[in-house]
Amino acid sequence: QVQLVESGGGWVKSGGSLRLSCACSGRAIADDHMAWFRQAPGKEREFVAIITRTGHTFTEDSVKGRFTVSRDIAANTVYLQMNDLEPGDTAVYYCALDSSVFAAVYENVYDYWGNGTQVTVSS
C-alpha cells in the first residue's frame, strides 16, 4: 500500500518561506517520478515542480527561482522549499507519485496522491 503524507504547510507573510515535506511509504521514491501540484480556491489543480527518478528537476515558470524540489532517498521523502512567497501561492499543495517510464507534468498520469497541506500567504 503506497501512502504519501505531506507536512510543513501553514500561514506565512508575503516574502516568507516554508518547506513542505512528502513522506512516502510502500515504494522507493528513487524508482519513481515525484511531483508537487497545488490547487488554489476556485481554480483547477496545477503542476508546480517535479523531481524525476534520475534526480532531474523542473519547476513551473511562475515559481522558478523561488521554489526548489529535492529529495532524501534514505528518508524516502521529497521536499519543496518555497522562498519569497506571494499571496498568489496560497493553495493546497499535493505530493504525487508517477511510476511510468517517462516523466510528465499532467496530473492524470500520477498514480498516487497525498491528502494535501494548506499554504496560506498573507500580504
Side-chain angles (χ1 to χ4, degrees):
Q1 180 77 9
V2 177
Q3 280 194 316
L4 302 176
V5 179
E6 303 97 335
S7 62
W11 176 87
V12 65
K13 286 189 174 182
S14 184
S17 299
L18 286 172
R19 188 176 82 153
L20 305 183
S21 299
C22 172
C24 178
S25 59
R27 285 185 71 92
I29 62 170
D31 294 337
D32 299 301
H33 312 302
M34 302 294 297
W36 289 94
F37 290 78
R38 66 185 181 184
Q39 187 168 21
K43 295 188 177 181
E44 294 189 351
R45 191 155 54 185
E46 63 178 4
F47 168 80
V48 176
I50 185 173
I51 183 163
T52 71
R53 62 168 58 93
T54 58
H56 289 89
T57 62
F58 176 77
T59 52
E60 193 270 332
D61 284 347
S62 69
V63 304
K64 200 177 295 288
R66 300 189 297 122
F67 290 13
T68 303
V69 59
S70 62
R71 65 183 180 180
D72 182 335
I73 292 176
N76 217 35
T77 299
V78 177
Y79 304 98
L80 184 68
Q81 177 67 44
M82 306 186 295
N83 298 328
D84 194 21
L85 282 159
E86 303 167 352
D89 296 318
T90 295
V92 177
Y93 284 72
Y94 297 91
C95 174
L97 182 154
D98 173 19
S99 61
S100 59
V101 174
F102 299 106
V105 303
Y106 307 107
E107 65 173 283
N108 61 337
V109 306
Y110 285 79
D111 306 293
Y112 301 98
W113 292 82
N115 289 327
T117 185
Q118 176 71 47
V119 171
T120 303
V121 185
S122 64
S123 57

